[in-house]
Structure formats: C-alpha cells, structure tokens
Amino acid sequence: MISLSAALALIIATVFVIPLIIRLSAETRHRRRFADEGVNAQHEQVAADVARHAQRRAVVSVAFAIALFVAIASVGIGAPQLLGLPFGIAPGLAVSGGLLLFAASAPLRIAQPARNSAELNRRHPWSFGPRWVFVLPLAIAAAFVALLVATGLTASADEMGLSRAITAADATTSSTAGPYPGWFYGVPLIAVTVVLAVSTLLALSRVSATPSLPNEGLAELDRQWRSVSTLVITKLSTSALLLYFGGTAFIAGQATRNVATTYTALGDAFSSTFRQPEFAIAVSLQLLGGLLAISGLVFLAAAVSSALTLRMKVQFPADTAPAAGRA
C-alpha cells in the first residue's frame, strides 16, 4: 500500500509537472510570435515587465501554498494525538497563507508619463473575471458549512468525550463509529473557511486596487494581467474548498456506512444487513466526497497552470499602441 508521504509527493509532482510542460510549450510559441511580429519595442518592454511581475507573484503564492500544505500535513503525520485535524484544515490554511502572501506583495512600479489619463470606472474585487469564478466558491463554501452543521448535529461523543463519532441505535442494538466530522472537526473547519474567504477577498482587492498602467494605450494589457491573476486566485481558493469538502464528505460517509452495516456470524461466514436510509446516505457521501476531491485536484492543477503560463497570456497587442508610439 502506498504511504501517505508517497501519495503527497505524487500529487505535488503531478500538479507541477503537467503545467510546467504546458508552460514550456506555450513559451516556445510566444517567443516565435514576437520574433515574427514588429511590436513597438517600448511597449513590448512594458508588457514584458508587467507579465513577469504578475507571474512571479502568482507562482510564488501558489508554491508557498503547496509548501505550507505539505508542512501542515506533516504535522498531522507526526502528531497523531491531534486526531487527524491538521489534514482537515491543511488545504484551507495553506491556500489562505498563499493568498495573504499575494495580497501583501508590492505592485510593479511603472514610470509615469507627462500626461496621464484618469480612471473613470470604479474597480471591485469581482471586476476582472467571469461571474462563475466568484459564484462557484461561494456556493461550495455554503454547502460545506451546511454539511458541517448537519454532521455536528448528528454527531455523538467518542470515548474521550469529543464530538467526533456517530451512533445509530434501534430497539435492540446500538453501533458507534468514527472518526466523524462532528463539532470537534466542524468548528475549526468553519473557522478556516471564514479565513479562506477573507484571504481570497484581500487578494482580489489587491488586484483591483493596484493603480492602472500610466497610459490609456496600455488599458488592454492592464486588463489582461488583472484577469489572469483573478483566475489564479479564484481557482486556488476553489481547489482548497473542494479538497477539504471532499475529504470531509468521504469520512462522514465512511463512518455512517460503518454504523449502518451489521454483520451476523453464520458459521464460518458472515452476513451483512444494512440500515436504511443511513446506508444509502453513506454511499452517496462517499461518492460525492471522491468526486469533490478529484475536482479539487483539477482546480489546483488549473491554478498552477494559469500561474506558470501567465506571461504568455499577458501580451501587448500591436494594433492598440498609442499614436505616439506607432510609426
């Protein structure tokens, strides 16, 4: 059986290697395009500086989040007395750390021209992305908190008196199983979800509050780096929500399945009876948890890919150069 550390290493390798291949391929095409096109040198340099700075900030933030996840998960491996809690909060805390680092980083300074155009449109944290990238994590967070409230209300105390077990009983039998995401896990997970939401808002606010590039001819370039940075932030936040939502749902389903299954000895064999609807709910939670966790890894890979290929997506269009910069 593969060890937990080996599984973590495999996930990290997959998340980094595939986007890196995409980046190298895109960068080759990017260089060939600029070799063939006569782009204004001054504005091409501005585009390169803006893209380089935006990509550096995004890559460092994503890498820091992944490193922080490994560190928190390592605490869970080395401290079994924490009863697996670090594994539950690791995705949310790690991504929150990466997003706070993004929000704290200084914006790129571009030399101001003699004449500067005023910014007429007010920018908001949600101004630079399609609506779904903001609605999706909000919907996932609301559903996750609803699940935690439901499991907290249905949890029972384990042998240590902690709300991390589930008990099913009828007139003749009683069964208890765990770990189960009762209030022992639910309260910290809800708190981490709030921290993640605040961190995401701060990172998006950094993107929207950064001063515009100091020339109206650079408006498209300005929009590009903000849009791609917004996608990195929202994909990273969504990946964290999906990962610990999926893990929580799967664990809840596993514990519920255990208490819903009764084994009866029949000589050398056993027969199984299933308590309904608990068993059906358990199977549904396990399937949902696996699907959400896989989706979380997909969003994580997408965030890494967007960060690594950001420079190829932030390009100065030659046909929008200011009149003073055109031949």
Side-chain angles (χ1 to χ4, degrees):
M1 181 179 294
I2 186 170
S3 66
L4 180 57
S5 58
L8 288 173
L10 180 61
I11 291 173
I12 293 171
T14 301
V15 165
F16 270 114
V17 170
I18 294 177
L20 183 58
I21 294 174
I22 296 173
R23 177 195 173 184
L24 292 175
S25 175
E27 189 166 0
T28 299
R29 294 194 302 270
H30 176 68
R31 288 173 178 173
R32 287 174 180 171
R33 191 180 73 85
F34 273 107
D36 296 335
E37 295 182 3
V39 181
N40 181 279
Q42 178 183 356
H43 297 289
E44 181 184 347
Q45 184 59 48
V46 172
D49 291 342
V50 170
R52 188 182 304 109
H53 181 269
Q55 177 172 295
R56 184 187 304 116
R57 181 163 60 174
V59 169
V60 169
S61 299
V62 172
F64 180 75
I66 294 176
L68 192 55
F69 171 81
V70 174
I72 298 172
S74 299
V75 172
I77 296 174
Q81 66 272 20
L82 296 178
L83 304 175
L85 183 59
F87 296 113
I89 64 176
L93 281 184
V95 170
S96 295
L99 295 179
L100 288 175
L101 179 63
F102 183 99
S105 59
L108 178 66
R109 301 295 181 184
I110 301 292
Q112 297 286 331
R115 182 180 178 181
N116 194 16
S117 58
E119 178 65 45
L120 300 179
N121 297 323
R122 184 178 180 182
R123 298 190 298 261
H124 302 280
W126 52 87
S127 296
F128 296 97
R131 181 176 299 179
W132 72 267
V133 302
F134 307 108
V135 174
L136 181 61
L138 289 175
I140 295 171
F144 181 51
V145 171
L147 174 67
L148 291 174
V149 171
T151 55
L153 294 175
T154 55
S156 59
D158 63 2
E159 62 276 6
M160 295 181 289
L162 302 175
S163 177
R164 55 182 297 271
I166 183 172
T167 300
D170 54 27
T172 58
T173 62
S174 175
S175 177
T176 300
Y180 182 76
W183 297 121
F184 175 80
Y185 298 107
V187 171
L189 286 172
I190 291 174
V192 169
T193 301
V194 173
V195 171
L196 178 61
V198 173
S199 303
T200 302
L201 181 60
L202 289 174
L204 291 173
S205 297
R206 164 61 77 181
V207 171
S208 62
T210 299
S212 299
L213 297 178
N215 193 307
E216 61 182 7
L218 299 175
E220 176 60 20
L221 179 66
D222 190 71
R223 185 200 64 79
Q224 286 177 5
W225 83 259
R226 295 179 197 271
S227 297
V228 180
S229 297
T230 294
L231 286 178
V232 174
I233 293 168
T234 53
K235 286 176 182 178
L236 193 59
S237 180
T238 301
S239 73
L241 287 167
L242 287 169
L243 284 170
Y244 63 61
F245 190 176
T248 302
F250 187 87
I251 291 173
Q254 183 63 48
T256 304
R257 184 170 182 167
N258 288 338
V259 298
T261 305
T262 301
Y263 298 98
T264 304
L266 297 176
D268 295 334
F270 290 89
S271 66
S272 302
T273 56
F274 306 107
R275 189 193 307 268
Q276 296 292 357
E278 290 88 344
F279 186 80
I281 293 173
V283 173
S284 299
L285 284 173
Q286 286 186 292
L287 292 175
L288 175 64
L291 178 62
L292 291 174
I294 293 173
S295 299
L297 291 176
V298 171
F299 268 89
L300 179 58
V304 174
S305 177
S306 294
L308 291 175
T309 60
L310 193 150
R311 288 178 63 184
M312 276 62 73
K313 298 175 182 177
V314 179
Q315 303 169 3
F316 184 81
D319 59 350
T320 60
R326 295 196 197 116

Short mmCIF file of all heavy atoms in Angstrom, two decimals, residues 226-254:
data_model
loop_
_atom_site.label_atom_id
_atom_site.label_comp_id
_atom_site.label_asym_id
_atom_site.label_seq_id
_atom_site.Cartn_x
_atom_site.Cartn_y
_atom_site.Cartn_z
N ARG A 226 -4.75 41.61 -14.74
CA ARG A 226 -5.73 41.52 -13.65
C ARG A 226 -6.65 40.32 -13.83
O ARG A 226 -6.96 39.61 -12.86
CB ARG A 226 -6.55 42.81 -13.58
CG ARG A 226 -5.76 44.06 -13.22
CD ARG A 226 -6.66 45.29 -13.21
NE ARG A 226 -5.90 46.53 -13.26
CZ ARG A 226 -5.45 47.17 -12.19
NH1 ARG A 226 -5.68 46.68 -10.99
NH2 ARG A 226 -4.77 48.30 -12.32
N SER A 227 -7.07 40.06 -15.07
CA SER A 227 -7.97 38.93 -15.33
C SER A 227 -7.30 37.59 -15.05
O SER A 227 -7.89 36.72 -14.39
CB SER A 227 -8.45 38.99 -16.79
OG SER A 227 -9.20 40.15 -17.04
N VAL A 228 -6.07 37.43 -15.52
CA VAL A 228 -5.38 36.15 -15.30
C VAL A 228 -5.05 35.97 -13.81
O VAL A 228 -5.18 34.87 -13.26
CB VAL A 228 -4.12 36.06 -16.16
CG1 VAL A 228 -3.42 34.72 -15.93
CG2 VAL A 228 -4.45 36.22 -17.63
N SER A 229 -4.64 37.02 -13.14
CA SER A 229 -4.36 36.94 -11.71
C SER A 229 -5.62 36.59 -10.92
O SER A 229 -5.57 35.80 -9.97
CB SER A 229 -3.79 38.27 -11.20
OG SER A 229 -2.55 38.57 -11.82
N THR A 230 -6.75 37.14 -11.34
CA THR A 230 -8.02 36.81 -10.69
C THR A 230 -8.35 35.33 -10.86
O THR A 230 -8.82 34.67 -9.92
CB THR A 230 -9.16 37.66 -11.29
OG1 THR A 230 -8.93 39.04 -10.95
CG2 THR A 230 -10.51 37.24 -10.75
N LEU A 231 -8.08 34.78 -12.04
CA LEU A 231 -8.32 33.35 -12.26
C LEU A 231 -7.42 32.50 -11.38
O LEU A 231 -7.87 31.47 -10.82
CB LEU A 231 -8.10 33.01 -13.74
CG LEU A 231 -9.18 33.46 -14.72
CD1 LEU A 231 -8.80 33.10 -16.14
CD2 LEU A 231 -10.53 32.85 -14.35
N VAL A 232 -6.16 32.87 -11.22
CA VAL A 232 -5.27 32.11 -10.35
C VAL A 232 -5.81 32.11 -8.92
O VAL A 232 -5.86 31.06 -8.26
CB VAL A 232 -3.85 32.71 -10.38
CG1 VAL A 232 -2.95 32.01 -9.35
CG2 VAL A 232 -3.23 32.57 -11.77
N ILE A 233 -6.22 33.26 -8.43
CA ILE A 233 -6.71 33.38 -7.06
C ILE A 233 -7.97 32.55 -6.85
O ILE A 233 -8.07 31.78 -5.89
CB ILE A 233 -6.98 34.86 -6.73
CG1 ILE A 233 -5.67 35.64 -6.69
CG2 ILE A 233 -7.72 35.00 -5.40
CD1 ILE A 233 -5.87 37.15 -6.66
N THR A 234 -8.94 32.70 -7.73
CA THR A 234 -10.22 32.00 -7.54
C THR A 234 -10.08 30.49 -7.74
O THR A 234 -10.74 29.71 -7.05
CB THR A 234 -11.28 32.57 -8.49
OG1 THR A 234 -10.79 32.56 -9.85
CG2 THR A 234 -11.63 34.00 -8.11
N LYS A 235 -9.24 30.08 -8.69
CA LYS A 235 -9.03 28.64 -8.88
C LYS A 235 -8.35 28.03 -7.66
O LYS A 235 -8.69 26.92 -7.22
CB LYS A 235 -8.18 28.39 -10.13
CG LYS A 235 -8.92 28.60 -11.44
CD LYS A 235 -7.98 28.44 -12.62
CE LYS A 235 -8.67 28.70 -13.95
NZ LYS A 235 -7.73 28.58 -15.10
N LEU A 236 -7.38 28.75 -7.10
CA LEU A 236 -6.68 28.23 -5.93
C LEU A 236 -7.62 28.14 -4.74
O LEU A 236 -7.63 27.14 -4.01
CB LEU A 236 -5.50 29.16 -5.60
CG LEU A 236 -4.46 28.66 -4.61
CD1 LEU A 236 -3.83 27.37 -5.12
CD2 LEU A 236 -3.39 29.72 -4.39
N SER A 237 -8.43 29.16 -4.52
CA SER A 237 -9.39 29.14 -3.43
C SER A 237 -10.42 28.02 -3.60
O SER A 237 -10.75 27.30 -2.67
CB SER A 237 -10.09 30.50 -3.34
OG SER A 237 -11.03 30.53 -2.30
N THR A 238 -10.91 27.88 -4.83
CA THR A 238 -11.90 26.83 -5.11
C THR A 238 -11.30 25.44 -4.90
O THR A 238 -11.97 24.53 -4.39
CB THR A 238 -12.42 26.96 -6.55
OG1 THR A 238 -13.01 28.26 -6.72
CG2 THR A 238 -13.47 25.90 -6.86
N SER A 239 -10.04 25.26 -5.27
CA SER A 239 -9.40 23.96 -5.08
C SER A 239 -9.34 23.59 -3.61
O SER A 239 -9.59 22.43 -3.24
CB SER A 239 -8.00 23.97 -5.69
OG SER A 239 -7.09 24.73 -4.91
N ALA A 240 -9.02 24.55 -2.74
CA ALA A 240 -8.95 24.27 -1.31
C ALA A 240 -10.32 23.85 -0.77
O ALA A 240 -10.45 22.87 -0.02
CB ALA A 240 -8.43 25.49 -0.56
N LEU A 241 -11.35 24.60 -1.15
CA LEU A 241 -12.71 24.27 -0.70
C LEU A 241 -13.12 22.87 -1.13
O LEU A 241 -13.67 22.09 -0.35
CB LEU A 241 -13.70 25.30 -1.24
CG LEU A 241 -13.67 26.69 -0.61
CD1 LEU A 241 -14.46 27.67 -1.46
CD2 LEU A 241 -14.22 26.64 0.81
N LEU A 242 -12.85 22.55 -2.39
CA LEU A 242 -13.24 21.23 -2.91
C LEU A 242 -12.46 20.11 -2.23
O LEU A 242 -13.02 19.04 -1.94
CB LEU A 242 -13.01 21.19 -4.42
CG LEU A 242 -13.99 22.00 -5.27
CD1 LEU A 242 -13.49 22.08 -6.71
CD2 LEU A 242 -15.37 21.38 -5.23
N LEU A 243 -11.19 20.35 -1.95
CA LEU A 243 -10.37 19.30 -1.34
C LEU A 243 -10.84 18.95 0.07
O LEU A 243 -11.03 17.78 0.40
CB LEU A 243 -8.89 19.72 -1.33
CG LEU A 243 -8.17 19.63 -2.68
CD1 LEU A 243 -6.80 20.29 -2.60
CD2 LEU A 243 -8.04 18.17 -3.11
N TYR A 244 -11.03 19.98 0.92
CA TYR A 244 -11.42 19.57 2.27
C TYR A 244 -12.92 19.32 2.39
O TYR A 244 -13.36 18.59 3.28
CB TYR A 244 -10.88 20.50 3.36
CG TYR A 244 -11.30 21.94 3.41
CD1 TYR A 244 -12.61 22.31 3.58
CD2 TYR A 244 -10.34 22.94 3.38
CE1 TYR A 244 -12.97 23.63 3.68
CE2 TYR A 244 -10.69 24.28 3.47
CZ TYR A 244 -12.02 24.62 3.63
OH TYR A 244 -12.37 25.94 3.75
N PHE A 245 -13.73 19.83 1.47
CA PHE A 245 -15.14 19.43 1.41
C PHE A 245 -15.22 17.96 1.02
O PHE A 245 -15.95 17.17 1.65
CB PHE A 245 -15.86 20.31 0.39
CG PHE A 245 -17.36 20.17 0.38
CD1 PHE A 245 -18.12 20.98 -0.44
CD2 PHE A 245 -18.02 19.23 1.17
CE1 PHE A 245 -19.51 20.89 -0.47
CE2 PHE A 245 -19.42 19.13 1.15
CZ PHE A 245 -20.16 19.95 0.32
N GLY A 246 -14.46 17.58 -0.01
CA GLY A 246 -14.47 16.20 -0.45
C GLY A 246 -13.98 15.24 0.62
O GLY A 246 -14.58 14.19 0.86
N GLY A 247 -12.87 15.60 1.29
CA GLY A 247 -12.36 14.74 2.34
C GLY A 247 -13.33 14.59 3.50
O GLY A 247 -13.52 13.49 4.04
N THR A 248 -13.96 15.69 3.88
CA THR A 248 -14.92 15.65 4.98
C THR A 248 -16.13 14.80 4.62
O THR A 248 -16.60 13.99 5.43
CB THR A 248 -15.37 17.08 5.33
OG1 THR A 248 -14.23 17.86 5.69
CG2 THR A 248 -16.36 17.06 6.50
N ALA A 249 -16.66 14.97 3.41
CA ALA A 249 -17.81 14.20 2.99
C ALA A 249 -17.49 12.70 2.94
O ALA A 249 -18.30 11.86 3.36
CB ALA A 249 -18.30 14.67 1.62
N PHE A 250 -16.31 12.36 2.45
CA PHE A 250 -15.93 10.94 2.36
C PHE A 250 -15.81 10.32 3.74
O PHE A 250 -16.29 9.20 3.98
CB PHE A 250 -14.62 10.80 1.60
CG PHE A 250 -14.25 9.37 1.32
CD1 PHE A 250 -14.72 8.73 0.18
CD2 PHE A 250 -13.45 8.65 2.20
CE1 PHE A 250 -14.40 7.40 -0.08
CE2 PHE A 250 -13.12 7.33 1.96
CZ PHE A 250 -13.60 6.71 0.81
N ILE A 251 -15.18 11.02 4.67
CA ILE A 251 -15.01 10.49 6.02
C ILE A 251 -16.36 10.36 6.71
O ILE A 251 -16.62 9.37 7.42
CB ILE A 251 -14.05 11.39 6.82
CG1 ILE A 251 -12.64 11.26 6.26
CG2 ILE A 251 -14.08 11.03 8.30
CD1 ILE A 251 -11.65 12.22 6.88
N ALA A 252 -17.23 11.34 6.51
CA ALA A 252 -18.58 11.25 7.09
C ALA A 252 -19.32 10.05 6.53
O ALA A 252 -20.01 9.31 7.27
CB ALA A 252 -19.36 12.53 6.81
N GLY A 253 -19.19 9.82 5.22
CA GLY A 253 -19.83 8.66 4.61
C GLY A 253 -19.27 7.35 5.11
O GLY A 253 -20.02 6.38 5.34
N GLN A 254 -17.95 7.29 5.32
CA GLN A 254 -17.33 6.06 5.81
C GLN A 254 -17.83 5.71 7.20
O GLN A 254 -18.18 4.55 7.49
CB GLN A 254 -15.81 6.21 5.81
CG GLN A 254 -15.06 4.96 6.24
CD GLN A 254 -15.27 3.80 5.29
OE1 GLN A 254 -15.17 3.97 4.07
NE2 GLN A 254 -15.59 2.63 5.81
#
